[in-house]
Amino acid sequence: MNASPIETEALVIGAGPVGLFAIFALGRVGMRCHVVDSLGEPGGQCMALYPEKPIYDIPAQPSILAADLVDRLLEQAKPFRPVFHLGQTAQTMEAGPKGGWRIATSAGTVFHAKTVIVAAGAGAFGPNRPPLADLESYEGRSVFYMVKRPADLAGKKVVIAGGGDSAVDWAVLLAGLAAKVSVVHRRAKFRAAPDNIAKLETLAQAGKVELVIPYQLHALEGADGRLDAVVVADLDGGTRRLEADTLLPFYGMAGDLGPIGQWGLALAEGRIEVDRASFATNRPGIFAVGDIATYPGKLRLILSGFAEATTAAHAAFAHARPGQALHFEHSTTAGLPPLA
Amino acid sequence: MNASPIETEALVIGAGPVGLFAIFALGRVGMRCHVVDSLGEPGGQCMALYPEKPIYDIPAQPSILAADLVDRLLEQAKPFRPVFHLGQTAQTMEAGPKGGWRIATSAGTVFHAKTVIVAAGAGAFGPNRPPLADLESYEGRSVFYMVKRPADLAGKKVVIAGGGDSAVDWAVLLAGLAAKVSVVHRRAKFRAAPDNIAKLETLAQAGKVELVIPYQLHALEGADGRLDAVVVADLDGGTRRLEADTLLPFYGMAGDLGPIGQWGLALAEGRIEVDRASFATNRPGIFAVGDIATYPGKLRLILSGFAEATTAAHAAFAHARPGQALHFEHSTTAGLPPLA
């Protein structure tokens, strides 16, 4: 916690595909960087949500798996020797003691950065939480957003909430293991792989899973983090009480600007407003690129973020080294420049 | 020449990497297109100038040969069935009979296009021509910018102008074939592959090539396109007369906006000015992307052009199909959409 601050010309916040390409783009203009990400590995949503899904709209990659895209971006960034600080969230930003910015992470790492490129995508990533009173007191004890060890749920009365793939898959998997499985969904139809929906309906007809539809979560009953029942409500306000000792809400994942929202950066609709010519924010030396940035005409595509990162790197160079001319040559002519 | 006009929702001018990706970007929003290029094959400068050179700054391609980049972009565009019209230059643009634009090419092909994406790079590509009086009358008869059949030069008195690879290579190649080879270069040093320079100097010492340095081209003598002599001048204005029946100026290639410069598009420094949010030009329905487009903060990188093409395709959709909502999903979710 009390290590010396890390002095750096550039700090990249976010190690998703756009943050990884920002390392390369900075490297091309001769700047090394440190990189912070809240996840435990590089790749952002590509790795956290859909590593095995093919992406079709990366230029000159007719089809590439998200995980392979990340691998190639890491390979491309590697010559520029980025230093990764993973599993920690950038929390506070304030003016640095010698100009620039002082950024501190949830792990206590402190950077003094001349320039910052925020490539934090949808922000720090986490599960969508249902709006229930006292939810926090149950989280991690009776309420879980992911199942790490299915065996822990053997013999339990489990309520699953949600209508997507996770809800359906876990209902099918836990049907033979838990004492009771109820699935609460606010619609009559599930939105998941058809063969898994068919399995779920077969289990429901056999009485091995109860489908509580269309209902939504209403309240939790219990004490000291131990759940006794989940109360659900139908669309007319009628309620039912489901005995339960475990609730698994599967409402997908979402990003949250989180602490970045408190940095004094100008925002619009939950995104960081940038100058289209440089991707500069309203704070000098802080740039934002990729999904977290917004400007007129913005498309939230990985490929747009790549181009934005390149422009931001040029602008970061101009900011970090005022008066120094950037002799930029095409990579076909220059090859990869050596770094100082 | 008198074929019916081709009706199309989108016309892409330029089949370089950015034009090829524009085909894909249009396809992703459900629009098919026709593509015009002055060169005889797709790929633009990548194929014409440096097919065997590696490019290092395409995202997720740590190193890719220019020719391979073009192959992959063609593969990615293929599902959208573009129709190529190669070896012809887009020449005239005027308001179309039913709205949109009427574009005619040097081969007489006529398009009625609702939208046009100009991705013409540095413009129609051609050799740099020396500023000599009456040059046109000799071109194609005694003055050539490339050598198609070296055997045609057997027994000729050849003057080669230039100091780069082409000048040096052809001087070496023609030394044993032509009656006389003179190399005119305005500097004492050549800028070419060292081993070829060494060969040239050996030939010069053996009297098989005359090095006329430092001199530059001054005038042509002859009549009816038949050259008698090339007059060269040194830096002090002193002239020499070199008997010659063939002049080969090798001053590199350059782009020229050419006819596009006469289309009434707003220009800045020889590039087309665009609106940064949509890449729209001042003419409704005409967009410009890649090296030919300019706006504040523009970087002339292939990767910037890719992102621009995607944004322009969205804007072209809105222009071509007013009132139709674009249901755009990420490619990981939607896969590649079927085309109408």
Side-chain angles (χ1 to χ4, degrees):
Chain A
M1 290 294 277
N2 294 309
S4 321
I6 295 169
E7 305 284 336
T8 181
E9 226 180 358
L11 176 67
V12 175
I13 298 178
V18 174
L20 295 179
F21 195 68
I23 301 167
F24 175 83
L26 286 164
R28 285 274 290 139
V29 297
M31 290 170 79
R32 280 191 68 189
C33 63
H34 289 253
V35 186
V36 171
D37 198 288
S38 59
L39 298 172
E41 62 176 342
Q45 293 183 47
C46 280
M47 292 304 287
L49 293 188
Y50 53 94
E52 299 303 320
K53 275 198 181 175
I55 306 177
Y56 300 105
D57 59 358
I58 305 296
Q61 304 276 13
S63 174
I64 185 168
L65 297 183
D68 292 340
L69 176 70
V70 171
D71 278 349
R72 285 168 150 270
L73 289 165
L74 280 168
E75 184 189 341
Q76 196 164 27
K78 197 176 175 190
F80 302 107
R81 304 195 308 278
V83 183
F84 287 97
H85 306 264
L86 299 173
Q88 49 194 295
T89 308
Q91 296 226 298
T92 60
M93 187 207 61
E94 55 196 62
K98 292 171 275 181
W101 300 97
R102 179 189 188 277
I103 283 97
T105 77
S106 55
T109 314
V110 174
F111 302 93
H112 290 169
K114 283 190 184 170
T115 64
V116 180
I117 296 183
V118 182
F125 222 66
N128 285 317
R129 302 161 71 243
L132 297 172
D134 265 345
L135 179 66
E136 292 79 0
S137 68
Y138 295 97
E139 287 176 335
R141 304 179 70 180
S142 318
V143 174
F144 304 94
Y145 300 100
M146 57 197 309
V147 179
K148 284 193 183 148
R149 284 178 301 272
D152 290 352
L153 298 175
K156 300 274 189 183
K157 286 168 281 184
V158 177
V159 173
I160 291 173
D165 281 303
S166 295
V168 172
D169 292 0
W170 281 109
V172 170
L173 269 160
L174 295 175
L177 183 69
K180 189 179 169 220
V181 174
S182 311
V183 181
V184 178
H185 182 36
R186 65 192 166 131
R187 296 208 177 83
K189 282 186 89 170
F190 289 89
R191 225 180 127 165
D195 51 338
N196 278 337
I197 294 178
K199 281 183 202 161
L200 178 65
E201 285 168 350
T202 304
L203 288 165
Q205 279 154 22
K208 304 209 166 147
V209 169
E210 185 189 10
L211 300 184
V212 186
I213 51 180
Y215 273 88
Q216 49 197 1
L217 298 181
H218 183 68
L220 304 179
E221 285 181 18
D224 302 327
R226 220 190 52 222
L227 200 61
D228 293 325
V230 173
V231 181
V232 297
D234 64 20
L235 302 177
D236 303 319
T239 59
R240 274 186 63 189
R241 186 176 179 281
L242 307 173
E243 265 190 49
D245 34 37
T246 303
L247 171 65
L248 305 175
F250 290 128
Y251 292 132
M253 307 273 279
D256 176 6
L257 264 190
I260 294 175
Q262 313 306 316
W263 289 3
L265 301 172
L267 305 178
E269 294 177 7
R271 313 264 161 183
I272 301 173
E273 277 191 316
V274 293
D275 166 30
R276 190 64 180 87
S278 63
F279 301 97
T281 68
N282 61 321
R283 297 276 198 176
I286 302 190
F287 304 85
V289 297
D291 283 5
I292 205 164
T294 188
Y295 53 81
K298 167 74 183 174
L299 293 179
R300 286 213 282 273
L301 295 172
I302 292 174
L303 121 85
S304 309
F306 289 153
E308 293 160 16
T310 303
T311 298
H314 282 246
F317 177 92
H319 183 88
R321 304 188 191 174
Q324 184 175 333
L326 174 59
H327 295 292
F328 190 79
E329 288 186 277
H330 285 281
S331 72
T332 43
T333 308
L336 292 179
L339 277 165
Chain B
M1 292 292 278
N2 294 310
S4 320
I6 295 169
E7 306 284 337
T8 181
E9 225 179 0
L11 177 66
V12 175
I13 299 178
V18 174
L20 295 179
F21 195 68
I23 301 166
F24 174 84
L26 286 164
R28 285 273 290 140
V29 297
M31 292 170 77
R32 279 191 67 190
C33 64
H34 288 254
V35 186
V36 171
D37 198 288
S38 59
L39 298 173
E41 62 176 341
Q45 294 183 46
C46 280
M47 292 305 287
L49 293 188
Y50 54 94
E52 299 303 320
K53 273 196 182 176
I55 306 176
Y56 301 105
D57 58 358
I58 305 295
Q61 303 277 12
S63 174
I64 186 169
L65 297 183
D68 292 339
L69 176 71
V70 170
D71 280 349
R72 285 169 149 267
L73 289 165
L74 280 168
E75 184 190 342
Q76 196 165 27
K78 198 175 177 190
F80 302 107
R81 305 194 308 279
V83 184
F84 287 96
H85 306 265
L86 300 173
Q88 50 195 292
T89 308
Q91 296 226 297
T92 60
M93 187 207 60
E94 55 197 61
K98 292 171 275 180
W101 301 97
R102 179 188 187 279
I103 283 98
T105 76
S106 54
T109 313
V110 173
F111 301 93
H112 291 169
K114 283 191 185 170
T115 63
V116 180
I117 296 183
V118 183
F125 222 67
N128 285 317
R129 302 163 70 243
L132 297 172
D134 264 345
L135 179 66
E136 292 79 1
S137 68
Y138 295 97
E139 286 176 334
R141 302 180 71 180
S142 317
V143 174
F144 304 95
Y145 299 100
M146 58 199 307
V147 179
K148 283 192 183 148
R149 285 178 301 271
D152 291 352
L153 298 175
K156 301 274 191 183
K157 287 168 283 185
V158 177
V159 173
I160 292 173
D165 282 303
S166 295
V168 171
D169 292 359
W170 280 109
V172 170
L173 269 161
L174 295 174
L177 184 70
K180 187 179 171 221
V181 175
S182 310
V183 182
V184 178
H185 182 37
R186 66 192 164 130
R187 295 208 177 83
K189 282 186 88 169
F190 290 88
R191 224 179 128 166
D195 51 338
N196 278 336
I197 294 178
K199 280 183 203 163
L200 178 65
E201 285 168 350
T202 305
L203 288 165
Q205 279 154 20
K208 303 207 168 149
V209 168
E210 184 189 11
L211 299 185
V212 186
I213 50 179
Y215 273 88
Q216 49 196 0
L217 298 179
H218 183 70
L220 304 179
E221 285 182 18
D224 302 328
R226 221 190 51 221
L227 199 60
D228 294 325
V230 173
V231 180
V232 297
D234 64 20
L235 302 178
D236 303 319
T239 59
R240 274 187 62 188
R241 187 176 178 279
L242 307 173
E243 267 190 48
D245 35 37
T246 302
L247 171 64
L248 304 175
F250 291 127
Y251 292 131
M253 308 271 278
D256 175 6
L257 263 190
I260 294 174
Q262 313 304 315
W263 289 4
L265 301 173
L267 304 178
E269 294 176 7
R271 312 267 162 179
I272 301 172
E273 276 189 315
V274 292
D275 166 30
R276 191 61 182 89
S278 64
F279 301 97
T281 68
N282 60 321
R283 296 275 199 178
I286 302 189
F287 303 85
V289 297
D291 282 5
I292 206 164
T294 188
Y295 53 82
K298 168 74 183 173
L299 293 179
R300 286 213 283 274
L301 296 172
I302 293 173
L303 120 86
S304 309
F306 289 152
E308 293 161 17
T310 303
T311 299
H314 282 245
F317 177 93
H319 184 87
R321 304 187 191 174
Q324 184 175 330
L326 175 58
H327 295 291
F328 190 79
E329 289 185 277
H330 285 280
S331 72
T332 41
T333 307
L336 292 178
L339 276 164

